[in-house]
């Protein structure tokens, strides 16, 4: 994998990209699991830790030569995997505490 120079991005462009990734991730998850509250998902995916995660992943994808769309898709997928892992770990902890 060859590391390439990042395209010139303004802070506003990066913020817009991260916001779109978070919104699409929330919408996708809500469409797949309609019982999950969309507003709660948006709140979760726009927290500082989530947006920093997305920005790092998105920029890393661009640096690795991915197109902006592919970098965004990979960042969103990584966010969903991290969210699901955290949710499963919390559920397992709760189950263990109540057993």
């Amino acid at each position: 994998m060859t590391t390439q120079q990042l395209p010139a991005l303004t802070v506003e462009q990066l913020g817009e990209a991260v916001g779109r990734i978070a919104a699409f991730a929330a919408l996708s998850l809500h469409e797949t699991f309609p019982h999950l509250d969309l507003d709660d998902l948006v709140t979760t995916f726009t927290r500082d830790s989530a947006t920093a995660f997305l920005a790092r992943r998105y920029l890393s994808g661009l640096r690795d030569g991915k197109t902006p769309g592919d970098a965004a898709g990979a960042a969103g997928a990584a966010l969903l995997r991290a969210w699901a892992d955290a949710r499963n770990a919390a559920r397992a902890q709760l189950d263990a505490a109540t057993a």
Side-chain angles (χ1 to χ4, degrees), residues 10-95:
T10 66
V11 172
E12 290 81 14
Q13 289 170 321
L14 179 59
E16 183 177 330
V18 167
R20 284 178 182 236
I21 297 166
F24 283 124
L27 282 170
S28 177
L29 197 54
H30 176 70
E31 287 173 0
T32 304
F33 302 101
H35 65 281
L36 297 174
D37 185 75
L38 182 58
D39 290 336
D40 288 345
L41 291 169
V42 170
T43 298
T44 298
F45 293 165
T46 57
R47 287 190 177 124
D48 287 346
S49 59
T51 57
F53 175 93
L54 286 172
R56 283 191 309 271
R57 292 293 181 115
Y58 179 65
L59 291 172
S60 176
L62 293 176
R63 218 176 277 116
D64 290 343
K66 291 181 180 171
T67 66
D70 287 343
L79 176 69
L80 292 177
R81 281 191 299 276
W83 176 86
D85 289 347
R87 189 171 165 113
N88 288 336
R91 183 71 221 182
Q93 188 177 24
L94 180 63
D95 289 347

